[in-house]
Amino acid sequence: MRLAMPALWYLVTSWCSTSGGRITWRQVSYLTWGVLQERVMTRSYGATATSPGERFTDSQFLVLMNRVLALIVAGLSCILCKQPRHGAPMYRYSFASLSNVLSSWCQYEALKFVSFPTQVLAKASKVIPVMLMGKLVSRRSYEHWEYLTATLISIGVSMFLLSSGPEPRSSPATTLSGLVLLAGYIAFDSFTSNWQDALFAYKMSSVQMMFGVNFFSCLFTVGSLLEQGALLEGTRFMGRHSEFAAHALLLSICSACGQLFIFYTIGQFGAAVFTIIMTLRQAFAILLSCLLYGHTVTVVGGLGVAVVFAALLLRVYARGRLKQRGKKAVPVESPVQKV
């Protein structure tokens, strides 16, 4: 098993490099983002010998900070760097922003009504819905081997994630309302990436896309916080704890960097490739934990890794064959014989 892990990592990084590269930096930024998010949401601030301190509990305020900084970064990039002529109507960005907000809401609400295995299977199986949504939204067509490899990746990642540890004791039973919310999360999430993919038909850059989406995301998030009366409380908490302000700023920087690579990946290679990368990221996070902390990998988990390995190998092989066919299809001029 230990020998197969480096080979799997090499294959995945090779496949990602042929699909555009830039993947490693996005993964680093989001792994850092995850560590900082856990620190912000699970630890107390202002703790002393006589006071336990207080915790920050409003994740939506952090989302607003992430989107504001991403909006600023994208805006400065548009001003300082030469960009293509913008031709997309601004209101079209609002659809991706709204669907992203709805998918996040459905995801968090569904966690209250579905069991842990159901959550894992849903997150690992998003590739197929994204491909089907792509046929509706952006009129993309996929080969049969792409559906096959996407299915194998979903099965392999599900096997690995489900065998990575016991089900949490607090995991609720799956209900019909939970399944409806989970279906809404998958549908809205699939629409978001495919709608962004379709917007790139206007020949815009990734930072222009990032600016438009985050502009409307900021509007939606501010409206939600004002309606709940949580905007001022989050600002006051930041004023009371400078350490929280520093952590929130670093969190927003990592999020903005991750968004740059997300929009680049969607713009260059489509929503399906992006979703496959995000699906594999879940397995890599657990795989990294196993390597660093000596956790054992079960037989089922090893079989799951082998299935993912085979699916990526098949994907690389199929893409190579397509490139060879494309080269053979190019007509070659016969040499002119001199008399």
Side-chain angles (χ1 to χ4, degrees):
M1 184 64 198
R2 291 181 178 273
L3 293 176
M5 289 178 182
L8 175 61
W9 177 252
Y10 172 77
L11 177 60
V12 173
T13 52
S14 299
W15 172 72
C16 289
S17 64
T18 57
S19 299
R22 320 284 177 90
I23 306 303
T24 303
W25 289 108
R26 186 188 65 78
Q27 299 287 28
V28 168
S29 63
Y30 268 102
L31 285 173
T32 307
W33 178 83
V35 172
L36 287 172
Q37 186 185 46
E38 182 178 358
R39 168 63 182 89
V40 169
M41 300 301 296
T42 61
R43 303 292 181 87
S44 299
Y45 288 93
T48 61
T50 58
S51 173
E54 57 181 335
R55 289 188 177 185
F56 184 78
T57 57
D58 192 357
S59 59
Q60 198 172 26
F61 184 80
L62 287 177
V63 172
L64 176 62
M65 289 194 62
N66 294 346
R67 289 170 177 171
V68 167
L69 185 62
L71 180 67
I72 294 173
V73 170
L76 290 176
S77 299
C78 290
I79 294 173
L80 300 177
C81 304
K82 186 178 180 180
Q83 303 293 328
R85 182 180 179 86
H86 186 267
M90 283 298 295
Y91 74 90
R92 286 183 171 270
Y93 295 104
S94 64
F95 299 148
S97 299
L98 181 59
S99 63
N100 182 253
V101 171
L102 291 174
S103 69
S104 299
W105 181 81
C106 288
Q107 180 185 15
Y108 288 121
E109 288 298 313
L111 296 180
K112 304 174 184 177
F113 306 104
V114 296
S115 64
F116 177 73
T118 307
Q119 300 171 25
V120 170
L121 291 174
K123 291 181 179 181
S125 305
K126 284 197 308 179
V127 184
I128 299 298
V130 166
M131 295 173 73
L132 295 177
M133 186 68 73
K135 295 179 69 69
L136 296 175
V137 175
S138 52
R139 300 292 188 268
R140 278 186 174 267
S141 59
Y142 297 96
E143 301 289 341
H144 294 298
W145 59 266
E146 291 182 287
Y147 286 107
L148 175 62
T149 54
T151 303
L152 289 175
I153 289 173
S154 298
I155 293 173
V157 172
S158 299
M159 292 171 62
F160 182 77
L161 294 180
L162 288 173
S163 66
S164 61
E167 181 177 344
R169 294 181 180 178
S170 59
S171 178
T174 300
T175 62
L176 179 60
S177 58
L179 293 177
V180 172
L181 288 168
L182 205 57
Y185 156 66
I186 293 175
F188 285 124
D189 192 66
S190 301
F191 175 84
T192 300
S193 56
N194 277 290
W195 186 260
Q196 292 168 350
D197 190 10
L199 281 179
F200 277 109
Y202 286 97
K203 308 300 181 183
M204 68 183 70
S205 67
S206 57
V207 292
Q208 287 174 328
M209 171 72 75
M210 182 174 170
F211 180 86
V213 171
N214 280 285
F215 174 77
F216 285 99
S217 295
C218 287
L219 294 181
F220 292 140
T221 310
V222 167
S224 177
L225 287 172
L226 289 175
E227 190 272 334
Q228 299 173 19
L231 184 61
L232 288 178
E233 179 56 34
T235 306
R236 290 168 184 162
F237 189 94
M238 183 181 295
R240 291 194 299 269
H241 304 287
S242 59
E243 185 183 10
F244 167 76
H247 288 163
L249 178 60
L250 288 175
L251 192 72
S252 300
I253 292 173
C254 292
S255 177
C257 292
Q259 283 195 43
L260 287 171
F261 298 118
I262 283 176
F263 290 120
Y264 175 84
T265 304
I266 293 176
Q268 294 294 320
F269 310 105
V273 171
F274 165 71
T275 306
I276 289 174
I277 294 169
M278 293 298 289
T279 302
L280 293 174
R281 181 178 67 89
Q282 302 176 61
F284 284 145
I286 297 178
L287 192 61
L288 183 62
S289 176
C290 292
L291 293 174
L292 291 178
Y293 301 109
H295 301 311
T296 58
V297 179
T298 64
V299 176
V300 176
L303 289 175
V305 172
V307 171
V308 173
F309 187 94
L312 293 175
L313 183 63
L314 177 60
R315 196 173 182 91
V316 172
Y317 173 76
R319 285 189 178 276
R321 289 294 298 272
L322 284 178
K323 288 182 179 180
Q324 289 180 357
R325 290 180 182 178
K327 291 179 180 179
K328 291 180 180 180
V330 177
V332 180
E333 296 183 1
S334 57
V336 179
Q337 296 182 355
K338 294 183 179 180
V339 180

